Every structure is written in structure tokens, then in C-alpha cells.
């Protein structure tokens, strides 16, 4: 069952207008992640993924992530569109955030531009912003989308959205 899309306000796009299957596209939006006063990542060369019912996920080039903060995890998952994901822990100011980021070292051909870029779950981090707007994490725990003011839902991950 497809839910009823939320009203779209000025400057917004509905996630129900995003494509399925998912796509990846380059973006020059200013993406910034800060935790415990340390800039973890900052870029204007992110790749965002778009998929029906999901807010965008933002993938940051490795050169725009502060060196020495990411540690490999044993966790793996599989995406039907992108392939196998590897996860990363983030060590900042004596704190370890486990499995807070993921990447695709060998993405499917349609998502080749994601190779080695890293996406982060917004929830555990102090501040994730897109063009200066603080984002809200996509609901549901598993999904990694960032809800900024320019997207309208409802978003996959809310109760009752399993079949969307």
C-alpha cells in the first residue's frame, strides 16, 4: 500500500517523486558533520542517493573526512541496488561510535560513483547539516537517510512502512 504523500511546501520535493530503482547523483551541497566539537567531514563534492519514500543518503569522498577517525567494523550488509556495504566505527574525542558509517568498496556499476565514499547515520552524531540546515535521521534505525527541510515525506521507516 502506497501512503498518501505529505503536502509539499515551497522549496520542497516529495520523496514520493524520487525514482525506484534508486539512483546516485553528484551534489555540490555543503555537507558537514561535527561531533564533540570536531569536524568529522565537510564537503561540496558529496554523492547523494535518491529512492522513492527515502530521504537522501549523503556519501562523502574519503579525502573530505578527517583522517584517523574511521576504524573498520566487521559488520556487513547487502543492498539490492548498491551491493555489499562495509561499516565503520568513528573514534572522536575518546568516544567510539560503533557502525556509524558505511561504504561500498565495490558497488554495482550503476552506483560506481559511490566507490569508497562514506555515508554516516545522523542520529548518533552531534550535528549533520546540508547547506547549513541541521538534518533529522530517517526513522527506523536501519535506514541512513537525512531529513532536511527540502524534502517532504512520509518517510520509509515510520511504523507501518514495512511494505512500502
Amino acid at each position: 500500500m502506497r501512503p498518501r504523500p505529505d503536502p509539499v511546501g515551497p522549496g520542497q520535493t516529495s520523496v514520493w517523486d524520487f525514482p525506484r530503482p534508486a539512483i546516485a547523483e553528484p551534489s555540490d551541497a555543503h555537507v558537514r558533520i561535527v561531533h564533540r566539537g570536531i569536524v568529522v567531514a565537510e564537503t561540496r563534492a558529496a554523492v547523494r542517493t535518491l529512492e522513492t519514500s527515502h530521504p537522501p543518503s549523503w556519501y562523502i569522498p574519503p579525502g573530505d573526512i578527517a583522517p584517523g577517525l574511521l576504524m573498520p567494523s566487521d559488520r556487513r550488509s547487502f543492498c539490492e541496488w548498491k551491493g555489499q556495504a562495509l561499516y565503520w566505527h568513528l573514534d572522536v574525542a575518546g568516544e567510539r561510535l560503533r557502525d556509524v558509517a558505511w561504504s561500498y568498496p565495490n558497488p554495482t556499476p550503476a552506483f560506481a560513483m559511490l566507490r569508497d565514499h562514506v555515508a554516516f547515520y545522523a542520529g548518533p552524531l552531534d550535528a549533520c547539516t546540508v547547506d547549513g540546515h541541521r538534518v533529522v535521521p530517517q526513522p527506523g534505525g536501519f535506514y541512513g537517510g537525512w531529513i532536511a527541510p527540502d524534502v517532504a515525506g512520509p518517510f520509509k521507516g515510520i511504523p507501518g512502512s514495512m511494505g512500502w
Side-chain angles (χ1 to χ4, degrees), residues 6-106:
D6 293 339
V8 175
Q12 284 189 315
T13 301
S14 174
V15 297
W16 294 94
D17 292 331
F18 288 170
R20 186 165 177 89
I23 62 165
E25 64 181 22
S27 173
D28 62 359
H30 182 210
V31 176
R32 190 168 196 254
I33 300 170
V34 177
H35 192 70
R36 302 295 182 250
I38 296 170
V39 176
V40 172
E42 188 163 15
T43 191
R44 286 192 173 275
V47 175
R48 70 179 188 160
T49 56
L50 304 176
E51 179 180 356
T52 303
S53 79
H54 294 262
S57 292
W58 295 87
Y59 291 80
I60 299 169
D64 291 341
I65 300 169
L69 299 182
L70 291 177
M71 302 299 147
S73 166
D74 291 332
R75 182 176 172 195
R76 305 286 185 267
S77 67
F78 185 79
C79 171
E80 64 184 310
W81 315 118
K82 297 179 278 294
Q84 185 177 46
L86 309 179
Y87 287 77
W88 300 90
H89 306 311
L90 180 67
D91 288 342
V92 178
E95 177 184 11
R96 174 166 278 191
L97 300 175
R98 301 184 64 75
D99 299 327
V100 73
W102 70 97
S103 63
Y104 293 92
N106 296 300

Side-chain angles (χ1 to χ4, degrees), residues 4 7 10 17 28 44 48 67 94 104 116-117 131 139 145 148 156 161:
R4 177 173 293 142
D17 292 331
D28 62 359
R44 286 192 173 275
R48 70 179 188 160
Y104 293 92
D116 297 324
H117 285 50
D131 287 336
K156 174 87 170 177
S161 66

